[in-house]
Amino acid sequence: MGEFELIERYFAHVGARREDVVLGIGDDAALLRVPPGHEIVACVDTLVDGHHFPQGSHADDIGWRALAVNLSDIAAMGARPAFATLALTLPEADEDWLEGFVAGFAAIATAHGVALVGGDTTKGPLTISVQVIGHVESGTALRRSTARPGDLLYVTGWPGDAAAGLALLQGRLQGQGANRGALEQKFRRPEPRVAFGQRLRGIASACIDVSDGLAADLGRMVAASGAGAVVRAAELPLSRALYALAGEAGARALALSGGDDYELLFTVPPGARAALVALAASAGAPACHCIGEVVAGRGVRVLAERGELPVPRGWDHFRA
Ligand code: ADP
Ligand code: MG
């Protein structure tokens, strides 16, 4: 199978059909329409075999993840995703692998109304770069740099579950049955909070997605905001499955330091709390928990019943 046949067979019609794709796959570049009064939001993330997913992961899970991690970045900006491009480096044109990959990618693309509009296909060690392009009404995007002391700190979902799922897959954590299945699913198929991110505009003062661990990403948000944060360990939401398999201390440690959550961590000024409570109670909203607050100063402190917990550092590819 040649490169052009491969592109035509697997990538020509992936994801949503959109009227704002003036010209999609097939020319030198895609032509995309932007709604008036909006800004373009763009991000890219690369997944390397064995670094960003365990070697031997199912191809459909890799396809899902490659888009999901980008949709999570778009969600954290409060933006609406629209288009994706895909740069794929493959050791060989394995048809089973390609079919699985496209199935996973297409499933989450279609669910979020995203059209695949271009890409690049080359030979080499398995590496996947996905770019997502979306839009947001001008001036309304959420940022990580705009949290203020006194703001309440919230997180969606159940941080730590995905890290526990990865630990189970790699044999570093033991467990069976429904709990194991639920946690592994959280790692294999992250569900970015795209709709909720858009609804946080006008309520949240700042937002970041949790990809490298809650404490580490919180540290980035408050550093960018020129502030600090206090987290109350007792308020960390721990899923029943995580609690059952990791115990209380293990669950808290994973919730603070585990990566791959793709939840939203956001701040809400005290005056917008009622609006957030109403939003969180509305149909389709994820679980939201207040875990602490933004404070004057620098850094993240985690307060437990008996003193402070050490604050874990997040993942850094280049740390010595
Ligand atoms: P060029 O050589 O002009 O850069 P290519 O031969 O790389 O173009 O690609 C031909 C067309 O197929 C382009 O429209 C490109 O965007 C698209 N394409 C190539 N690889 C992929 C892929 N993995 N996913 C989606 N579209 C792709
Ligand atoms: Mg060209």
Side-chain angles (χ1 to χ4, degrees), residues 9-89:
R9 188 184 310 174
Y10 294 104
F11 300 117
H13 310 283
V14 174
R17 265 176 207 278
R18 295 183 62 103
E19 303 235 311
D20 48 2
V21 179
V22 180
L23 188 60
I25 289 171
D27 212 311
D28 288 312
L31 295 175
L32 311 167
R33 211 177 296 128
V34 187
H38 285 64
E39 288 161 342
I40 289 181
V41 185
C43 60
V44 63
D45 256 315
T46 297
L47 306 189
V48 177
D49 191 18
H51 290 265
H52 299 94
F53 49 86
Q55 235 147 14
S57 294
H58 294 296
D60 53 346
D61 291 338
I62 298 171
W64 177 285
R65 166 172 297 270
L67 184 53
V69 300
N70 283 286
L71 292 177
S72 182
D73 285 326
I74 296 283
M77 304 301 290
R80 189 185 298 270
F83 319 111
T85 60
L86 166 65
L88 194 55
T89 305

Side-chain angles (χ1 to χ4, degrees), residues 155-168 172-173 179 182-184 186-187 210-215 236-239 241-243 245-246 250-263:
V155 69
T156 60
W158 309 99
D161 278 12
L166 176 61
L168 285 162
R172 292 181 282 113
L173 182 67
N179 288 334
L183 296 172
E184 286 187 357
K186 286 285 199 68
F187 175 78
V210 181
S211 54
D212 294 335
L214 194 158
L236 285 171
L238 304 176
S239 75
L242 182 64
Y243 200 96
L245 293 198
R252 275 189 193 169
L254 282 165
L256 282 170
S257 67
D260 299 307
D261 289 318
Y262 303 105
E263 297 292 351

Side-chain angles (χ1 to χ4, degrees), residues 94-291:
D94 179 326
E95 296 188 17
D96 287 342
W97 192 93
L98 276 161
E99 249 163 54
F101 178 85
V102 170
F105 188 100
I108 188 169
T110 306
H112 290 279
V114 170
L116 181 64
V117 298
D120 190 32
T121 308
T122 53
K123 190 167 177 162
L126 179 59
T127 306
I128 303 130
S129 281
V130 173
Q131 179 191 43
V132 171
I133 299 161
H135 29 74
V136 63
E137 280 167 58
S138 297
T140 70
L142 300 173
R143 300 172 186 222
R144 61 174 67 175
S145 56
T146 41
R148 292 292 166 261
D151 290 353
L152 303 164
L153 182 63
Y154 286 83
V155 69
T156 60
W158 309 99
D161 278 12
L166 176 61
L168 285 162
L169 287 166
Q170 295 181 328
R172 292 181 282 113
L173 182 67
Q174 308 308 318
Q176 291 307 327
N179 288 334
R180 181 188 181 109
L183 296 172
E184 286 187 357
Q185 177 74 3
K186 286 285 199 68
F187 175 78
R188 295 195 306 108
R189 295 277 171 138
E191 296 273 3
R193 306 294 190 183
V194 177
F196 192 67
Q198 289 166 52
R199 298 175 75 189
L200 282 176
R201 286 182 301 136
I203 296 176
S205 51
C207 186
I208 190 169
D209 77 315
V210 181
S211 54
D212 294 335
L214 194 158
D217 288 315
L218 173 57
R220 287 179 191 144
M221 180 163 69
V222 292
S225 295
V230 167
V231 172
R232 287 179 297 275
E235 308 293 332
L236 285 171
L238 304 176
S239 75
R240 240 177 270 174
L242 182 64
Y243 200 96
L245 293 198
E248 183 171 352
R252 275 189 193 169
L254 282 165
L256 282 170
S257 67
D260 299 307
D261 289 318
Y262 303 105
E263 297 292 351
L264 295 181
L265 181 64
F266 58 96
T267 58
V268 173
R273 181 181 204 153
L276 190 267
V277 170
L279 170 60
S282 66
C288 280
H289 293 94
C290 183
I291 58 168

